[in-house]
Structures are given as structure tokens and as C-alpha cells.
Amino acid sequence: MSGNHHGGRIEAALQLSGVAQNRAVLESWQRCEQRFGLAHDTLRRPEVMPESQTRQRRDRSGRLYHHAHDLVRTLYRKIDASGYAVFLTDNDGVILDSVAAHTLLPSFRTNGLLPGAVWSEEREGTNGIGTCIVEGRPITIHKDEHFLAQHAVLTCTAAPVFDPEGQVCSVLDVSAVRDDIKRTDCLRVRSLIADYADALERILFFDECASDLILHLHPDAQHVGSTRDALISIGPDGNIRGATSTARRLLAAADNARDVQSMFGFDLDGLISTLGVGEGTSTSISAKALPVNGGGLLFGRITLPEKQRRKFVSMRPAPVSRPSARLAANETGEIPDQDPAIRRLYKVGSKLLTNRINVLMSGETGSGKEHMARAIHAASVGARKPFVAINCAALPESLIESELFGHAGGAFTGAARDGFGGRIKQADGGTLFLDEIGDMPLSAQGRLLRVLEQRTVEPLGSTKSVPVNFRLICASNVDLTRAVADGKFREDLLYRIKGARLSLPALRERSDLPDLIARLLRGISGDMAGDVRCSDDVLELLSRHDWPGNIRELVNVLQYACVFAEGGLILRSHLPDDFHETVTRDPAPAGSILKRAEADALRQVLDDHRWHISKTAKALGISRNTLYRKMDRFDIRREV
């Protein structure tokens, strides 16, 4: 750049925090001057397309505009600071949709922020939307960082949305026309808008890749199937057809693999055989370890809708049935866990569900709530009856109502032609398990309450109510009572789902860890060929670990170790590196002393209250269920 004034503006930009941000702004300014021939002091009216052309661009965007409509409005509600507006653009930087306070619309329109306006770098210089498209990453353009001086009143934070081919197809932008906004004020906004852009990317990915096998990948098994995993779409020839942004980083690390063979060392048949394909219309199974060519280990799972299941699986032999590491009950309704507290919860829960009493389970993340729910379902309803599990936290807010309650044919752009009955309807005659129910949006909570009260479900876009008959188990690792007080959860729904409450113990509180490890290893080694066991010092190390991730973390560690335990014996060197860095509990002798002391103290309080459970629980300041759990844990029985 040339000119003293330009030099002063460059020096001002260098005061920004972060080398990447400096580079992005400076390179954008160079493009504006050298390639586009713009001058910083040029005054120009915004280019706004006629409504008919804007409408045509919305139509050409396919399902982007439809899927983003509710998401844009939800994002606007999340931006709690006043003075902001949310914008959605296409890949040319043309604004397709916007949400702003009615009183602020004139100021945004005056500055060219309205549907139909073109915000490419070539047209408006350095700006949040245009520069985000070029950079392909979330970015904030704050006041004087805009190349055109007339835009210096704006603060714009934008994040790109990618299509399955890795191209920017849209931008989500949050802008403000305010003098008091500092750059640091934009950090939370940038994090939030990036999350929503990722959510929209995943929605579009599933929509556009509906005809492909979807491979879910993550370095941590517990995140496979969550909103954090990487998604890859694979055609019947084994070639990779599409990927999310996270997945593209994994592909790049695997020498830019373009097919299953080059990434994992085996073809599509081998992938399906390794991961397995279960039953159902939207099928997924537990994550399994996948060594990556060139080194490294990922955990994977396949999602295969029914029509793709026929396409991919009907011409292939069914995968060999292998032992499962699942903690659920077997066909006879017996639970294999030996921990007394777990066995008691299983018996109580089974009896409650048999009598159609709703069950609310609480417990730390990864403590086995879904596994317990499956065991209770098998014992009370029957293992062959439908068990529909839904993670309310993993579903995008804009899709959760359609997923739960279904939709009529043609209810919205992109809706299935014949409609979709919904996951609640799939649970008819069986059990509906709602995990992380505390993260369910309030709008969906109201619809769920009506379903529970009326025992009918009304799909979106339909006026016809469909009767449903299911048992309900909910789970949460957050305090729902506090969520009610904070206005995040409906009080009437809480009392409806809390027919009875079961509190699962954390893994560190269980007394059957060695037996649990042995059972999990039988299942995992069955998947990977050969029996595997832990050496004595590894078993001691595992027994001393605090397990903050509970059973999920344990499965993750064992799956990792099994990959490297070629001789069938897991040694310390086979455990993940970060496992050795975590804090472990005191060795067993000291723990045994403390356990005996706590058991003696508990027995004394019971004696003091003549073994009256309610009075003892009240004296200890705990619930009756917690007291029963402690009695089971310490094997305390009243002597007759």
C-alpha cells in the first residue's frame, strides 16, 4: 500500500490481537486496493438486488434458506447484548435473510445491511461477510478495520458454512452499529456464531448426503455420534463423496485420502465388517477403533438409513455377530453387573417401568444411564420391543421437533414426500429414552408435555393426532430443579417425567470394577480378534483411577489398549499417554480403611434411628435412594 494515510491505517491494524487477524485484514486491504481498485474514502451507495432476484437466489440456495430460517432466529435470541442483528448470506455475499430489532432496522438499512444487499469484498471492501468468504474461517472486522471509511461504524463477526465438498456455501454474520463495542466484546459472539455455523453445516450435510453411507469419526469414542464428531459420506464404490470441516482436517492428516482404502487400508466391505451395521431405519452401533493409515487411531460408527441399508448391505454377507460390551440385560432380563447398588437400581427401575411409572435417571456423564435404561426396558417391556434412544443435546434445535414428533408430507421444503412419523411414534409399544432432556428447547418441551398428557402425537404440518403407547425413561446430568428455577426447563414437565428418580453411582463408587473390565474386554477383544486381559499392575492402576469420564472413559481406554496389546496382555505401555498424566486415587489399603470407617459410621446412625430409613436419611441429609445405595455398597444388612 502507498500513502501516509494508508500507512496509518495499517499501523492501526497492527494493534489488533493475533497474527492471523492482522494477516487477514492486511491481505484484504491489499486486495481491495490492488485487485479491486477501491479507495478507502470512497462514498458509495449499497448495491441491493430487487426482491425478485433475492427470491431467486433463495430458491437457488436449495434447502439452505429453509434449514437456516429457524436457526438464524434462535441465534438472534442467544445474542443477549442489545444492538445486534443476524444475517444469512449465500456464497456470493448476498444477504438472504436477516433478524433485527424493529427499532434498529433503519440504522442497519442505512448502512446497507438488508436482504438483497451484496457484501462481497470486491463490492464493499474488507468486511465481515466478504472477508469471511475469502478466509474460510470465523472472523471479526471491527470498526476501522473495514477498508471503506464509511463502514467504520460497523462491527461484524461472521462464520462460514461449508458444503459437503468443502466450499463456502453461506455465511452467518452478527453485526452492530454501535460506538461502544470493543474487540474483546466480540469473542463470545464469535464462539457462538461458529457453533451455529457448524450446526447448519451438519444439517446441510445430512440433507445433501442422504443417499450415502455416513461415517462418524472422532479420536475419543465417547464423542462419536455427538455434534463434535467428524462426518464423511461414502459412495457404494468406497470413494469419499463429502465431508464436514472437521472431517476434512482428518482426511488431510491421512495424506488427503479420497477413499476408504487409502484412509484405513481396507475397502468398503472391510469397513462395514469392522464397524458392523445394525437393524432399523436409521441405524447406528457402538463406536469401534479404526487404525488410520500412516499412524493414529480413530473411533468410528456407521449411520445407514433403511434405503441405503438395502443398497449397501443386501448384496453383502451379514457381518459376523460378536460379543457386545454393552451393559444391558440379556434376553432373560438378567443384568450382568455385580455391584449391589447397580443391581438394586435395576430391580427397582424394572418394577417401576413394568407398572408404567415414568423413570428419571441422574448421574455423571458416562455413568451408564442409557445402558441401565436398556436393561430396565428389556426386563419390563421385552428386549424385542422397540427401544428408541434420543440424545436431546445432540440434535440441532431447528430439527429436534421434526425428529421427535415427525412431519407430514410436504410440511416444509425438503420434507420427506411421504412424511416422517417421528421417533416418538417409533417407540410405540416399547420404551422412549430421552437422554440429556435438560437440553431440550422450551418449544419442544411444551409439545412433549402434551404428548405425555394426551398420549397422542401430532406431526408438524398435520392436524391429525396419532395415538401412541410407550413407557418413558429420561436422563440428565444437570440439576433439573435448578434448570426450572433458571427458566430453562418447564416445571410441569419435570413433575410429569419424574414419576420416580434413580441416581446411578459414578464408576469410582462401584465395587465390581474388575468384573466390569473383564466383561468389557471380552466384548472389545471379540471385535478385534482374540482374548485380551489386563496385567496385574494395569488392573491395579485402573482400579485406582478416578474415572471422571466414567464407563465411557473406561471403554475408550480399553479399546485403545486392545489395539496395541498384540500378545493378548495389556501392559502399562499400552495405555493412552494422557491416562498416565491423570490423577489416581490412593492405593487400596488406605481406601479400604476409609471405606470401613464410613460403613461403621453409617451403621451407627442406622442403629441410633432404629433402622428407620426415612429418619436416617433425613439425619444424614441425603435421599432415601442414596441411603439404600450406600447400604448396598457397604453390604449393610440389619441383623435379625
Side-chain angles (χ1 to χ4, degrees), residues 364 505-514 517 538-550 553-554 572 579-592 594-595 633:
E364 295 180 6
L507 180 57
R508 59 185 170 275
E509 298 175 352
R510 292 180 56 159
S511 61
D512 63 340
L513 184 61
I517 291 172
V538 167
L539 190 58
E540 179 187 0
L541 192 63
L542 296 177
S543 299
R544 291 172 50 197
H545 188 60
D546 276 331
W547 299 113
N550 291 291
E553 182 186 2
L554 174 60
R572 282 176 176 255
F579 179 83
H580 296 287
E581 300 169 1
T582 56
V583 180
T584 56
R585 297 195 300 271
D586 292 333
S592 298
L594 292 175
K595 183 176 179 179
R633 179 186 175 195

Side-chain angles (χ1 to χ4, degrees), residues 188-255:
R188 187 190 71 86
V189 173
R190 187 155 67 184
S191 175
L192 188 63
I193 197 173
D195 288 343
Y196 273 73
D198 286 343
L200 182 54
E201 177 186 3
R202 292 176 68 89
I203 294 170
L204 294 173
F205 180 88
F206 282 117
D207 189 59
E208 295 182 25
C209 300
S211 62
D212 294 337
L213 177 151
I214 305 298
L215 176 61
H216 301 247
L217 293 171
H218 198 280
D220 188 337
Q222 73 181 38
H223 293 313
V224 175
S226 74
T227 56
R228 299 181 184 182
D229 66 8
L231 303 174
I232 295 176
S233 70
I234 303 171
D237 56 0
N239 288 330
I240 294 173
R241 292 181 170 181
T244 58
S245 304
T246 306
R248 291 190 179 280
R249 290 193 287 271
L250 296 179
L251 294 173
D255 297 325

Side-chain angles (χ1 to χ4, degrees), residues 350-593:
S350 301
K351 193 166 186 177
L352 291 169
L353 204 67
T354 299
N355 288 276
R356 296 185 174 276
I357 296 177
N358 295 337
V359 174
L360 175 61
M361 290 195 294
S362 61
E364 295 180 6
T365 298
S367 57
K369 294 186 287 293
E370 180 175 344
H371 296 296
M372 176 61 79
R374 288 182 181 276
I376 292 172
H377 159 78
S380 58
V381 184
R384 299 186 182 278
K385 293 294 182 68
F387 178 89
V388 178
I390 301 172
N391 188 325
C392 300
L395 288 174
E397 188 169 346
S398 58
L399 288 185
I400 190 168
E401 292 198 43
S402 175
E403 182 77 7
L404 282 174
F405 310 107
H407 61 258
F412 48 79
T413 304
R417 179 180 300 176
D418 298 327
F420 171 59
R423 304 299 299 281
I424 291 179
K425 183 65 174 65
Q426 290 175 356
D428 189 35
T431 300
L432 177 67
F433 175 64
L434 298 177
D435 197 9
E436 306 294 1
I437 192 171
D439 291 311
M440 179 180 287
L442 285 169
S443 58
Q445 291 178 30
R447 289 178 62 92
L448 176 62
L449 181 63
R450 289 195 295 274
V451 171
L452 297 179
E453 289 176 341
Q454 301 171 7
R455 289 291 161 173
T456 60
V457 60
E458 186 175 294
L460 298 176
S462 172
T463 58
K464 181 181 178 181
S465 295
V466 180
V468 287
N469 178 23
F470 59 87
R471 290 164 171 85
L472 178 68
I473 303 177
C474 297
S476 177
N477 63 353
V478 300
D479 187 344
L480 293 181
T481 303
R482 181 181 293 275
V484 169
D486 293 339
K488 297 178 181 179
F489 200 82
R490 293 181 61 127
E491 185 175 22
D492 47 3
L493 179 59
L494 175 59
Y495 288 117
R496 172 66 67 172
I497 66 176
K498 194 175 68 172
R501 185 165 186 162
L502 303 180
S503 179
L504 266 67
L507 180 57
R508 59 185 170 275
E509 298 175 352
R510 292 180 56 159
S511 61
D512 63 340
L513 184 61
D515 178 73
L516 176 60
I517 291 172
R519 283 192 291 113
L520 289 173
L521 282 176
R522 283 196 295 272
I524 295 171
S525 62
D527 290 334
M528 308 182 76
D531 293 330
V532 180
R533 63 183 181 85
C534 294
S535 64
D536 291 341
D537 60 332
V538 167
L539 190 58
E540 179 187 0
L541 192 63
L542 296 177
S543 299
R544 291 172 50 197
H545 188 60
D546 276 331
W547 299 113
N550 291 291
I551 296 173
R552 252 190 226 136
E553 182 186 2
L554 174 60
V555 171
N556 207 13
V557 169
L558 295 178
Q559 285 181 322
Y560 181 98
C562 282
V563 172
F564 301 101
E566 297 178 357
L569 183 66
I570 297 177
L571 305 176
R572 282 176 176 255
S573 60
H574 298 149
L575 299 176
D577 292 341
D578 57 355
F579 179 83
H580 296 287
E581 300 169 1
T582 56
V583 180
T584 56
R585 297 195 300 271
D586 292 333
S592 298
I593 294 173

Side-chain angles (χ1 to χ4, degrees), residues 50-372:
E51 172 60 26
S52 59
Q53 291 185 25
T54 304
R55 197 162 47 243
Q56 289 175 2
R57 281 187 170 264
R58 287 172 182 156
D59 293 339
R60 284 205 303 270
S61 71
R63 299 181 182 178
L64 166 68
Y65 180 72
H66 158 71
H67 287 313
H69 184 271
D70 291 340
L71 187 141
V72 165
R73 281 144 187 83
T74 303
L75 174 59
Y76 177 72
R77 292 194 296 271
K78 295 283 187 180
I79 305 295
D80 52 12
S82 60
Y84 286 100
V86 179
F87 301 93
L88 173 78
T89 81
D90 63 11
N91 60 347
D92 292 323
V94 178
I95 296 177
L96 302 179
D97 195 10
S98 65
V99 186
H102 183 74
T103 55
L104 297 177
L105 285 176
S107 62
F108 284 113
R109 290 179 177 276
T110 299
N111 286 278
L113 288 167
L114 70 163
V118 182
W119 278 86
S120 64
E121 267 195 349
E122 182 177 3
R123 171 67 199 181
E124 297 297 338
T126 306
N127 69 86
I129 294 170
T131 306
C132 177
I133 292 174
V134 175
E135 286 287 315
R137 64 180 178 86
I139 193 169
T140 295
I141 303 298
H142 180 248
K143 297 185 178 301
D144 286 340
E145 295 165 19
H146 288 84
F147 183 81
L148 297 183
Q150 71 184 54
H151 295 327
V153 296
L154 299 175
T155 295
C156 307
T157 299
V161 179
F162 294 92
D163 63 23
E165 296 180 355
Q167 302 299 313
V168 176
C169 64
S170 177
V171 168
L172 280 175
D173 174 82
V174 174
S175 293
V177 185
R178 283 172 46 187
D179 296 329
D180 60 336
I181 294 181
K182 299 180 177 60
R183 166 166 284 282
T184 53
D185 297 335
C186 303
L187 295 177
R188 187 190 71 86
V189 173
R190 187 155 67 184
S191 175
L192 188 63
I193 197 173
D195 288 343
Y196 273 73
D198 286 343
L200 182 54
E201 177 186 3
R202 292 176 68 89
I203 294 170
L204 294 173
F205 180 88
F206 282 117
D207 189 59
E208 295 182 25
C209 300
S211 62
D212 294 337
L213 177 151
I214 305 298
L215 176 61
H216 301 247
L217 293 171
H218 198 280
D220 188 337
Q222 73 181 38
H223 293 313
V224 175
S226 74
T227 56
R228 299 181 184 182
D229 66 8
L231 303 174
I232 295 176
S233 70
I234 303 171
D237 56 0
N239 288 330
I240 294 173
R241 292 181 170 181
T244 58
S245 304
T246 306
R248 291 190 179 280
R249 290 193 287 271
L250 296 179
L251 294 173
D255 297 325
N256 293 311
R258 296 185 177 181
D259 53 47
V260 172
Q261 183 74 45
S262 59
M263 188 167 188
F264 301 113
F266 44 70
D267 59 14
L268 183 58
D269 288 314
L271 179 68
I272 293 177
S273 177
T274 300
L275 298 184
V277 177
E279 302 294 333
T281 56
S282 183
T283 305
S284 60
I285 59 175
S286 299
K288 293 184 175 64
L290 284 172
V292 181
N293 279 351
L297 183 71
L298 294 172
F299 292 92
R301 195 183 74 179
I302 289 175
T303 297
L304 204 57
E306 179 61 27
K307 60 181 180 180
Q308 285 75 38
R309 176 179 164 75
R310 291 194 298 269
K311 180 178 179 181
F312 282 100
V313 181
S314 60
M315 296 182 291
R316 293 182 169 86
V320 178
S321 177
R322 290 167 174 155
S324 173
R326 186 163 297 191
L327 307 181
N330 60 25
E331 291 292 330
T332 63
E334 273 301 317
I335 193 168
D337 303 75
Q338 298 303 309
D339 181 78
I342 292 291
R343 296 186 70 82
R344 178 184 173 277
L345 290 174
Y346 164 67
K347 292 177 181 177
V348 170
S350 301
K351 193 166 186 177
L352 291 169
L353 204 67
T354 299
N355 288 276
R356 296 185 174 276
I357 296 177
N358 295 337
V359 174
L360 175 61
M361 290 195 294
S362 61
E364 295 180 6
T365 298
S367 57
K369 294 186 287 293
E370 180 175 344
H371 296 296
M372 176 61 79

Side-chain angles (χ1 to χ4, degrees), residues 619-637:
L620 293 171
I622 60 177
S623 68
R624 296 175 66 216
N625 284 342
T626 302
L627 176 56
Y628 278 124
R629 182 161 56 82
K630 287 181 176 293
M631 292 171 64
D632 286 337
R633 179 186 175 195
F634 298 131
D635 197 22
I636 295 176
R637 298 289 184 271

